[in-house]
């Protein structure tokens, strides 16, 4: 959790390289924990959710560093850990657009909208969330609100 909070603070302050190191360290720490500890099913689920969030943040940070191919790969990994994540679809779509991959970008944006529509009952909320997710700006409060 500390890696996520520290990384978010660094990201908020425009220290993207340092934020990336924090998110990478968090992913490695979670992997070590998952491998070395016998975790109950709920803990494994929580660990996978946290890992997905860290990978999605890695992807967003890589976008800021203009490492679009790497961002796309991290977003894809985040989606594999949490297929219900609309924000990892958005980051993946942005990475694809930056690489000129319009078709995959449109597919990912559509997937994000589909996920959001399933999770939210009002389209206006979905549209508002889309505009916010296109400009990720994680703060300590955002991370705390997610329960991490």
């Amino acid at each position: 959790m500390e890696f996520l909070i520290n990384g978010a603070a660094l990201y908020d302050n425009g220290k993207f390289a340092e934020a990336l190191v924090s998110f990478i360290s968090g992913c490695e720490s979670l992997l070590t924990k998952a491998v070395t500890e016998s975790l109950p099913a709920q803990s494994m689920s929580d660990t996978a959710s946290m890992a997905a969030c860290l990978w999605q943040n890695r992807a967003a940070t890589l976008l800021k560093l203009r490492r679009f191919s790497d961002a796309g790969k991290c977003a894809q990994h985040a989606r594999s850990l949490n297929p219900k994540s609309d924000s990892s679809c958005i980051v993946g779509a942005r990475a694809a657009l930056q690489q000129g991959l319009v078709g995959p970008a449109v597919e990912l944006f559509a997937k994000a909208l589909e996920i959001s529509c399933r999770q939210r009952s009002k389209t206006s909320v979905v549209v508002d969330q889309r505009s916010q997710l296109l400009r990720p700006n994680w703060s300590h409060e955002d991370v705390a609100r997610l329960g991490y």
Side-chain angles (χ1 to χ4, degrees):
M1 177 166 61
E2 71 186 67
F3 298 108
L4 187 60
I5 292 170
N6 291 338
L10 291 164
Y11 184 98
D12 285 346
N13 290 317
K15 297 179 180 179
F16 303 118
E18 293 93 339
L20 181 61
V21 170
S22 183
F23 295 136
I24 289 171
S25 297
C27 291
E28 291 170 353
S29 174
L30 281 177
L31 179 61
T32 301
K33 181 179 178 179
V35 169
T36 60
E37 298 177 18
S38 295
L39 299 174
Q42 182 58 43
S43 292
M44 285 300 287
S45 176
D46 293 344
T47 300
S49 293
M50 176 67 79
C53 189
L54 284 162
W55 278 94
Q56 188 273 324
N57 283 319
R58 279 175 72 164
T61 304
L62 287 163
L63 279 176
K64 291 288 190 179
L65 294 170
R66 305 188 61 75
R67 292 175 49 189
F68 305 123
S69 178
D70 291 335
K73 291 173 188 172
C74 287
Q76 182 177 6
H77 192 68
R79 285 191 312 279
S80 72
L81 291 168
N82 182 5
K84 297 179 182 178
S85 171
D86 56 353
S87 41
S88 60
C89 290
I90 294 287
V91 173
R94 291 178 63 210
L97 275 179
Q98 291 295 331
Q99 295 174 82
L101 305 171
V102 177
V106 169
E107 289 176 17
L108 286 167
F109 277 125
K111 182 69 174 170
L113 189 58
E114 176 187 332
I115 291 167
S116 291
C117 287
R118 277 193 220 135
Q119 294 173 350
R120 296 168 181 90
S121 60
K122 296 184 180 178
T123 309
S124 60
V125 173
V126 173
V127 172
D128 182 53
Q129 291 293 322
R130 294 282 65 74
S131 63
Q132 185 68 3
L133 289 170
L134 290 174
R135 296 180 308 282
N137 187 15
W138 290 74
S139 67
H140 292 293
E141 293 81 20
D142 294 330
V143 173
R145 188 175 60 239
L146 289 171
Y148 293 112

